[in-house]
Amino acid sequence: MSHRIDKIESLIKEEISLIFLFKLQDLELGLLTITNVRVSADLKIAKIYISIMEKDKREEALEKIKSKTKFIRSELASRITIKFVPELKFFLDDTLDYVAV
């Protein structure tokens, strides 16, 4: 993977985290973490993986996030300077459910 894509993934992760923290408090999503961002090689699609601690609220929270995708993308576009802001796709990251203690 190229160094440029790594930098863009890191930047998108950081900025989307800040958008959730400061712009989307009214959604009441619970404890949420952006665990990973993967950008396609052509920079057209960004897959954002989210971990939500409350198991019973995960699907509802994901639907709320998906309903705000256009807002999140426009906020992202105003915060970063790249030629094309990728289409955002959100997924649940349930990796922590499978980690043995």
Side-chain angles (χ1 to χ4, degrees), residues 2-47:
S2 79
H3 182 66
R4 180 173 185 247
I5 290 177
D6 290 341
K7 285 178 70 175
I8 290 172
E9 288 173 346
S10 177
L11 179 63
I12 289 173
K13 181 179 179 181
E14 182 180 333
E15 292 301 330
I16 288 181
S17 296
L18 292 173
I19 291 168
F20 276 114
L21 185 62
F22 295 112
K23 299 285 185 169
L24 296 175
Q25 310 96 332
D26 60 329
L27 290 183
E28 298 178 11
L29 300 171
L31 187 57
L32 171 125
T33 305
I34 309 290
T35 57
N36 204 354
V37 174
R38 289 287 162 228
V39 177
S40 63
D42 63 358
L43 304 177
K44 299 283 184 188
I45 298 173
K47 294 180 180 178

Side-chain angles (χ1 to χ4, degrees), residues 40-86:
S40 63
D42 63 358
L43 304 177
K44 299 283 184 188
I45 298 173
K47 294 180 180 178
I48 296 125
Y49 295 91
I50 298 174
S51 175
I52 300 170
M53 293 305 285
E54 294 92 15
K55 288 183 182 181
D56 56 328
K57 293 185 178 183
R58 287 180 181 167
E59 291 300 323
E60 178 186 346
L62 185 61
E63 290 305 314
K64 287 180 182 179
I65 292 167
K66 286 182 178 180
S67 72
K68 293 289 190 176
T69 300
K70 286 184 181 181
F71 171 77
I72 296 168
R73 187 173 182 216
S74 68
E75 281 291 318
L76 184 63
S78 69
R79 292 169 175 257
I80 63 175
T81 53
I82 57 176
K83 188 174 185 178
F84 181 80
V85 177

Side-chain angles (χ1 to χ4, degrees), residues 51-55 58 93-101:
S51 175
I52 300 170
M53 293 305 285
E54 294 92 15
K55 288 183 182 181
R58 287 180 181 167
D93 183 0
D94 58 356
T95 314
L96 291 177
D97 294 345
Y98 303 106
V99 176
V101 178

